[in-house]
Amino acid sequence: MDYAEFRSILSAHFKGVLEAQKQAIRENGHLSPLVISSFQHAVAGARVPTAETLKEAAEVNFLDNFMLDQILQEFGQSTDLPNETKQMLIKEYRRANGAYCQAVLDYDATINAYDFETRDDKVSAPSVTPASPARISLAQLVTDFWKYAKLEERWIPKTEGEKQEHIDLLYEALGSDRDVAGVGHAEARIVRDILTRYPVNRNKLRETKGKTLDELASMSGLRTLHTLTINKYMQTYKALFNWAKQNGYSKENPFSGLSIRNRKLNAEAPRLPFPTALLETIRDALLDKRRNLQDHHKWGSLIAMHSGARLNEVAQLHLEDIKTVDGVLCFDINGSGPTKKLKNAASKRVVPVHPRLIEYGLQTYIDAVRSKPGNTRLFPQFSYTKSDGYGRNLGRWFNETFLPDLELKTKQLTFHSLRHSVVGQLIAAEVSQAHIMAIVGHEPGTTTLSTYNRSGFPPSQLLSALEKVL
């Protein structure tokens, strides 16, 4: 297969995908901000490589290979190619994918406009002065933005609470009745300046509770927000005004480009994976009967350690979520039910039960829970809170009791480090990035994978990958 033939294959592939995407837009409306951002990222990555894009390209090489193989198989071509040829094809794939993403963005933009121009030159339309756009206040914008964010299930309750705090400060700084069109770069810089001097736990500490922003500005010696937290606020405002721009309420996004660059000290990862030796120490301690650990703490931690599932994904598991799929015992991680929540759409997945968990006695524990009348959840001891779901008890025990007892507790080693550890082990075992994403519930990040692999990978494939953990 030569270069020209491969370009023909790419053209045919993306032509079909593009038409399907256009149809989806016609039926369902505009792309969400998250999808738009993903497409824009793909367009940027297809341009002239920079040091940053080259680094990113190296990180997604596994996924690129997977997508390339899918396209070649789609058109009946062999995937057994020399590495040099594959790298050439991958480079061309990225260019074609970038062109496709730009075409989708362009099409999405066209449905914002209406064309009322007459095509009959003999009929002259009366001259009409366009009406001024309707004024929309900041509060109205937030209400509108919030409505669609909820429809898209963009945030979990805890994140929604954080976003509300960000919005409350924005109201205080600019006024909830401020005309959105009148918020420009000057106002955005004022908000950023306030954040650089904004105290931590303002509404909880006696010395700052109830104080106005002007009063806080005159106070000294206060512990102020971390740079990462400031950027969280700014990201909320950037997303809000990006939505305002897309919907014609604002000509530009005044918060774009105003995030604060982290110093090397602040760029350090907030959580780190456990080294293999420490993982073995943790596992042995969890299985040590002399410690008399409560079963829900023991098994909740072991499941996270052997699956990479998030804290609340483990804690909210129902008994009916443990099922056999294609002959493989699996955890069905889902958001079905009034109190079960997922971080995003990609979090819904089926993950095989690691064979080691069965060896350790998980099935015996499951049978014991099932035998008690009224039990529907795997861990009925965990209570529900709106902010943390079912995960608070397990997270606090692991972070505040178990790790300190083992003398392993640091700011960067927490329950969430178990998830990082699973990802790290899968990468070290050279598991494909597509399979890693499927196991831990990350966004596919590519059109080919999300469009042609919506049903996911067979559990047997994921089990083979997961068995390389511990």
Side-chain angles (χ1 to χ4, degrees):
M1 179 179 56
D2 59 19
Y3 179 74
E5 185 180 1
F6 183 64
R7 281 179 57 86
S8 297
I9 287 175
L10 288 176
S11 296
H13 167 76
F14 281 109
K15 183 177 180 180
V17 179
L18 177 59
E19 186 52 45
Q21 185 65 67
K22 285 182 177 180
Q23 182 62 30
I25 292 173
R26 288 193 291 269
E27 293 176 355
N28 305 319
H30 295 296
L31 301 173
S32 71
L34 181 64
V35 173
I36 289 174
S37 176
S38 175
F39 276 41
Q40 289 172 337
H41 189 74
V43 172
R47 293 171 182 160
V48 179
T50 63
E52 182 179 355
T53 57
L54 284 174
K55 179 182 177 182
E56 291 177 354
E59 293 174 351
V60 300
N61 194 52
F62 283 128
L63 194 53
D64 284 335
N65 271 292
F66 174 83
M67 294 182 297
L68 177 61
D69 288 349
Q70 292 291 301
I71 294 174
L72 291 174
Q73 290 172 6
E74 178 187 351
F75 289 87
Q77 300 292 325
S78 172
T79 59
D80 186 16
L81 300 170
N83 184 62
E84 183 178 346
T85 302
K86 271 212 166 182
Q87 291 306 313
M88 181 271 290
L89 298 184
I90 286 173
K91 181 179 178 181
E92 195 61 29
Y93 164 80
R94 290 184 186 134
R95 290 184 58 207
N97 187 53
Y100 155 76
C101 289
Q102 185 62 61
V104 174
L105 293 171
D106 291 343
Y107 183 79
D108 186 65
T110 62
I111 64 172
N112 281 319
Y114 294 91
D115 183 5
F116 301 117
E117 183 180 357
T118 179
R119 300 303 176 192
D120 187 353
D121 294 334
K122 295 180 181 180
V123 179
S124 55
S127 177
V128 178
T129 302
S132 299
R135 177 184 180 276
I136 183 172
S137 68
L138 189 56
Q140 290 172 316
L141 173 67
V142 170
T143 299
D144 225 13
F145 176 67
W146 225 256
K147 177 177 69 175
Y148 286 99
K150 284 181 176 292
L151 285 173
E152 296 173 1
E153 298 182 343
R154 196 176 304 171
W155 308 313
I156 59 175
K158 183 176 182 179
T159 303
E160 185 175 329
E162 291 177 352
K163 299 291 184 184
Q164 186 60 60
E165 290 181 9
H166 301 169
I167 295 300
D168 289 343
L169 179 61
L170 187 65
Y171 286 161
E172 190 175 1
L174 300 181
S176 60
D177 60 346
R178 173 68 71 100
D179 187 350
V180 169
V183 178
H185 290 290
E187 288 75 15
R189 287 194 296 269
I190 289 172
V191 174
R192 183 178 62 177
D193 185 59
I194 290 172
L195 286 169
T196 61
R197 296 178 281 109
Y198 196 69
V200 174
N201 295 326
R202 170 196 178 184
N203 297 318
K204 296 180 180 179
L205 300 178
R206 185 171 56 184
E207 61 267 32
T208 57
K209 188 175 182 179
K211 294 286 194 300
T212 67
L213 291 177
D214 288 339
E215 289 172 332
L216 292 173
S218 64
M219 298 174 68
S220 59
L222 298 176
R223 187 163 67 96
T224 57
L225 298 180
H226 191 281
T227 304
L228 294 175
T229 306
I230 293 174
N231 284 339
K232 281 188 177 181
Y233 277 79
M234 296 298 290
Q235 183 59 38
T236 297
Y237 306 148
K238 181 180 177 182
L240 174 65
F241 276 86
N242 191 51
W243 195 86
K245 179 181 177 182
Q246 291 169 355
N247 287 272
Y249 299 132
S250 180
K251 291 184 178 180
E252 57 183 350
N253 188 339
F255 287 90
S256 182
L258 292 187
S259 296
I260 301 174
R261 292 189 64 182
N262 293 325
R263 296 174 298 171
K264 290 183 179 179
L265 177 63
N266 293 334
E268 190 175 10
R271 296 182 183 90
L272 296 174
F274 290 104
T276 302
L278 294 189
L279 282 174
E280 292 173 351
T281 297
I282 292 171
R283 178 194 58 195
D284 293 344
L286 289 169
L287 295 171
D288 189 347
K289 295 182 179 180
R290 294 171 298 179
R291 288 182 171 271
N292 294 317
L293 301 181
Q294 297 186 61
D295 280 344
H296 51 283
H297 290 152
K298 166 187 170 180
W299 288 112
S301 303
L302 284 170
I303 288 172
M305 179 184 293
H306 290 78
S307 68
R310 299 175 178 91
L311 171 62
N312 196 54
E313 291 174 346
V314 173
Q316 70 182 9
L317 281 170
H318 279 55
L319 290 169
E320 65 181 15
D321 296 332
I322 303 169
K323 56 185 66 175
T324 299
V325 181
D326 297 337
V328 178
L329 188 64
C330 297
F331 296 116
D332 182 356
I333 298 176
N334 61 74
S336 302
T339 57
K340 291 171 72 176
K341 303 293 182 183
L342 296 179
K343 184 175 182 179
N344 51 46
S347 301
K348 185 180 185 301
R349 63 198 188 278
V350 173
V351 181
V353 175
H354 198 295
R356 287 286 179 86
L357 292 175
I358 303 302
E359 290 178 21
Y360 299 151
L362 176 61
Q363 188 63 59
T364 301
Y365 169 75
I366 294 171
D367 293 340
V369 176
R370 280 200 172 112
S371 68
K372 295 181 181 179
N375 280 348
T376 58
R377 294 176 37 241
L378 181 61
F379 303 113
Q381 300 87 348
F382 296 147
S383 58
Y384 174 80
T385 65
K386 185 175 181 180
S387 60
D388 298 310
Y390 289 100
R392 175 178 292 182
N393 179 282
L394 178 58
R396 284 185 173 178
W397 171 80
F398 191 88
N399 296 332
E400 299 173 15
T401 300
F402 183 64
L403 287 183
D405 284 350
L406 297 179
E407 298 183 348
L408 298 180
K409 182 69 177 76
T410 70
K411 289 183 178 180
Q412 293 178 312
L413 292 177
T414 67
F415 188 95
H416 197 71
S417 297
L418 297 175
R419 178 172 168 84
H420 286 250
S421 300
V422 169
V423 174
Q425 291 174 83
L426 291 172
I427 292 174
E430 298 185 352
V431 173
S432 75
Q433 190 166 354
H435 285 144
I436 295 174
M437 289 176 169
I439 290 170
V440 300
H442 280 159
E443 291 283 356
T446 66
T447 304
T448 302
L449 198 56
S450 60
T451 301
Y452 289 97
N453 198 43
R454 288 177 179 171
S455 60
F457 295 100
S460 57
Q461 284 188 19
L462 300 184
L463 179 60
S464 298
L466 202 54
E467 285 176 333
K468 298 177 182 179
V469 171
L470 287 172

